[in-house]
Amino acid sequence: MLFNNFLYIDPGTGSMLFSVFIGAAATLFFLAKAAFLKIQLLFAGKSTREALKAKRQKYVIYNEGKQYWNVFKPVLDAFEKKETNVTYFTSYNEDPVFSSDYKYVKAEYIGEGNKAFARLNLLSADVVLMTTPGLDVYQMKRSKNVKHYAHLRHGSGDATMYRLFGIDYFDSVLLTGDYQKDDIRYLEKSRGVKEKELLSVGCTYLDELKLKMEAIPEEKDHKFTVLLCPSWGPSAILSKYGEKLLDPLLATGWHVIVRPHPQSKKSEAEMLERLQKKYEASANIEWNFDRDNIYALKRADIMISDFSSVIYDYTFLCDKPVMYVNADLDLRIYDASEVYNEDGSEKRIWQFTTLEKIGIELKEEQFSNIKDVIQNASDSPELAKARAEAKAQAWMHIGEAGERTAQFMIDKSKEFDSNSTEAK
């Protein structure tokens, strides 16, 4: 009996030990990758290293993949309008920048993975802007020849929904709304890291999507459309429920658009193939894999989702009702898991508490009569008011994010020039 008591670990302690184990394993993995990267740099050649260091840029933007073009385009447009040169490095070899008629944007494809990180780790610049988290945590290390690293938020949700320590070592974080500041400050204090400069500039990609959406013509002969827009992973509605949700949805006779998360095509390809094959004869289902989600969003009369941040894209851009299926998302690998209330309890993140205000919960037991549930889930003044309040909090300075971001970079460089002059 005493031996059994000795082996017992309460759930709270077990959870903590699990988090410590995951954190330690991740640290060892990325330390090994960092060591490998340093060896690569060592053999890059002294002349190559020195040439890269000597080529100082004022402003550098790094795009890690094709999904971030809408994030950076408004910033590039602002530099172009100001007739100010900016260097744009991309890891997407078909980046739309190469077919854009920019005069002041100097674009270059720098490869992917370690090849890109090797180039970035040798940068010489005043200000480097990126959406990529994990600076000085994963493979991407701070260059001694970069004066300022700025992280641009590419979503209107919580700034703590990065993997642990995702934005700790940036010099600044450009936010979509002021509400994101408090939790960042909490983590800085609890972890003892340097305070970052926090500035709310708005949301560049929502600004861009808004312009694109306004240019889309209205659909002719519109049929009532339900958009199923899940996240990915075992807790997401498509992988968790599959046919249990799709069968009754298709039985309504409404048009159903299923837009899987981009990661599902990589991590859940077997599940997607199985469902697509099962419903290939169904006339009222459409599988949407477009790069931009705005075409599906605009056609939808109502969205069903889970914990995906696309809920806020739809809410802010379309101002239509959304239904959500509650899912237990394990936050232990995210910064959000280390933010606590004054009483010591784990703080619930903004996007979850806000979802309960702007959305209508859909429970599994309601799937069988989902047509009645959706028909009765009519919009209301209360829901409309909640959507407006959430939009005002999370998407500040609508239409100005690109200009504000570019101006921040320019002002920061001028600040360095001024300090350098005073030092002389």
Side-chain angles (χ1 to χ4, degrees), residues 312 316 349-359 386 390 393:
Y312 295 97
F316 298 162
I349 61 176
W350 177 91
Q351 59 199 65
F352 286 175
T353 58
T354 301
L355 181 57
E356 293 168 2
K357 299 174 185 176
I358 67 172
Q393 287 179 315

Side-chain angles (χ1 to χ4, degrees), residues 106-368:
K106 313 302 179 184
E108 181 182 345
Y109 172 67
I110 61 169
E112 303 174 21
N114 284 340
K115 184 177 181 181
F117 295 138
R119 181 67 181 276
L120 294 169
N121 290 354
L122 291 173
L123 270 180
S124 181
D126 281 359
V127 184
V128 176
L129 177 77
M130 63 180 72
T131 59
T132 312
L135 178 68
D136 249 12
V137 178
Y138 303 140
Q139 298 102 313
M140 191 181 298
K141 302 301 178 184
R142 292 181 66 103
S143 168
K144 294 178 181 179
N145 298 297
V146 170
K147 296 179 180 179
H148 188 97
Y149 282 94
H151 179 84
L152 179 63
R153 289 280 298 131
H154 55 279
S156 56
D158 293 76
T160 55
M161 285 302 290
Y162 290 106
R163 298 299 176 102
L164 289 165
F165 319 113
I167 56 175
D168 277 8
Y169 303 109
F170 283 89
D171 300 299
S172 63
V173 182
L174 306 184
L175 308 170
T176 70
D178 287 343
Y179 88 90
Q180 296 165 339
K181 292 179 180 179
D182 289 345
D183 289 348
I184 295 177
R185 291 289 183 234
Y186 179 95
L187 289 173
E188 288 171 342
K189 186 175 180 181
S190 66
R191 291 172 176 172
V193 298
K194 185 182 73 173
E195 274 200 0
K196 291 171 280 295
E197 189 171 349
L198 303 180
L199 179 68
S200 295
V201 297
C203 190
T204 53
Y205 91 90
L206 281 179
D207 287 348
E208 184 66 14
L209 293 185
K210 180 175 180 290
L211 292 174
K212 288 184 177 181
M213 185 171 280
E214 289 170 349
I216 300 174
E218 294 296 327
E219 187 179 17
K220 294 181 179 179
D221 302 321
H222 176 75
K223 189 174 182 179
F224 187 84
T225 300
V226 179
L227 174 61
L228 181 61
C229 225
S231 187
W232 68 281
S235 297
I237 53 175
L238 194 59
S239 53
K240 186 174 183 179
Y241 298 112
E243 295 92 337
K244 286 185 180 180
L245 179 57
L246 286 174
D247 283 347
L249 260 182
L250 294 175
T252 64
W254 295 329
H255 188 66
V256 177
I257 301 175
V258 184
R259 182 177 168 82
H261 191 282
Q263 188 62 34
S264 290
K265 292 187 72 174
K266 300 177 182 178
S267 304
E268 302 170 325
E270 189 175 319
M271 179 268 292
L272 285 181
E273 290 172 9
R274 176 178 61 80
L275 291 175
Q276 286 180 278
K277 185 172 180 60
K278 176 173 181 177
Y279 297 108
E280 61 185 358
S282 300
N284 61 326
I285 188 171
E286 171 188 342
W287 296 86
N288 183 280
F289 298 97
D290 294 346
R291 186 181 70 181
D292 284 344
N293 61 17
I294 52 174
Y295 303 98
L297 295 184
K298 183 156 185 175
R299 292 164 57 202
D301 295 286
I302 192 168
M303 173 188 280
I304 299 176
S305 189
D306 39 44
F307 47 84
S308 173
S309 61
V310 74
I311 288 172
Y312 295 97
D313 293 355
Y314 182 70
T315 298
F316 298 162
L317 291 168
C318 302
D319 193 24
K320 295 178 183 177
V322 62
M323 303 187 77
Y324 66 95
V325 179
N326 233 329
D328 296 322
L329 180 62
D330 189 350
L331 294 175
R332 286 178 293 184
I333 60 173
Y334 301 101
D335 279 330
S337 67
E338 296 193 1
V339 180
Y340 295 91
N341 296 309
E342 290 183 3
D343 63 2
S345 61
E346 191 173 297
K347 184 179 178 181
R348 295 191 70 212
I349 61 176
W350 177 91
Q351 59 199 65
F352 286 175
T353 58
T354 301
L355 181 57
E356 293 168 2
K357 299 174 185 176
I358 67 172
I360 304 160
E361 185 177 2
L362 175 64
K363 298 181 179 178
E364 184 179 356
E365 55 266 28
Q366 295 175 308
F367 290 177
S368 59

